[in-house]
Amino acid sequence: MQLRSQLDARRLTLEFETERELLCFVDSAQEQGAFLLEMAKAPRSLVGYTVVLTLGSAVEHSMEASVVQVFEAADGVSVAFEIGPLPKTWETGLKRKLARAAEPGGDHSEMTGTPPIVRIRKMNVRQRMHLATRADRVERAILLRDGSPQVLLGLVTNPRIAADDIVQILRNPQVSPGVIERISRERRWLANPEIQKALVRSPKTPSPIALRLMDSLPTEELRRVAKMQSGLRENLRKAALRVYLKRAQ
């Protein structure tokens, strides 16, 4: 969990990485009627704050809480907050938002009203990677251009990812061998002709993976690869030429 505080606006935003983490926090806060936060700066005692619970860009849910005690800590302060009365529908509303965010094809942008590109630009790498694992079509289109290998890996594990997205990932100059190896473990991707071509042509693809795919390439693609003079390792070019000549016999 990460904290973003706007003390002048009396607003605190708690950013959770997983649904389980968020629900554990909610259960504990409701059971105790309070929660504890580590903060860099001490807020004013007995002042009320709006506490916004978020899960990536998909879920935003608020509660009211007041500062009841401040403790000195090594690198800041520990602050105890007492939560205010919650409406009867508060928890139901939160779970409804979580369920909606988990639905295939769900539009996460509707949860916040903020354009996806604006929200994503404000995220750090860890937050973007988490979002990538469940991003919708609009969010994926933005994250596919991301320069972080961790974010690209998150996209590969997204159950909504499409073959065209995988090809774009393979063409991203920041793609890492680790991401490529993850792609190569999926049979559905290796059976796709466009992904096969992109894997062979990517300079980041480990040679053993590219060599295994040579026999699967269409003859015309083998001819193109064999004639490539730059951007391809010599051992792959020669392997493509051998397979091409063998088929031509």
Side-chain angles (χ1 to χ4, degrees), residues 167 170-171 192-202 205 213 217-218 220-221 224-225 232:
V167 171
L170 291 169
R171 291 174 179 169
N192 184 290
E194 294 304 315
I195 293 176
Q196 292 171 358
K197 295 176 188 178
L199 279 167
V200 170
R201 291 186 177 219
S202 172
T205 300
L213 292 171
L217 293 179
E220 186 59 26
E221 177 64 13
R224 293 193 190 97
V225 171
L232 192 74

Side-chain angles (χ1 to χ4, degrees), residues 104-115:
D107 185 356
H108 298 168
S109 63
E110 294 180 5
M111 297 298 178
T112 63
T114 305

Side-chain angles (χ1 to χ4, degrees), residues 146-164:
D146 202 287
S148 168
Q150 296 100 308
V151 174
L152 297 179
L153 181 60
L155 284 170
V156 171
T157 64
N158 187 321
R160 305 177 190 175
I161 199 79
D164 289 346

Side-chain angles (χ1 to χ4, degrees), residues 228-241:
M228 290 177 66
Q229 297 300 314
S230 62
L232 192 74
R233 281 158 287 180
E234 185 65 13
N235 66 325
L236 299 183
R237 191 185 66 80
K238 289 181 177 179
L241 180 60

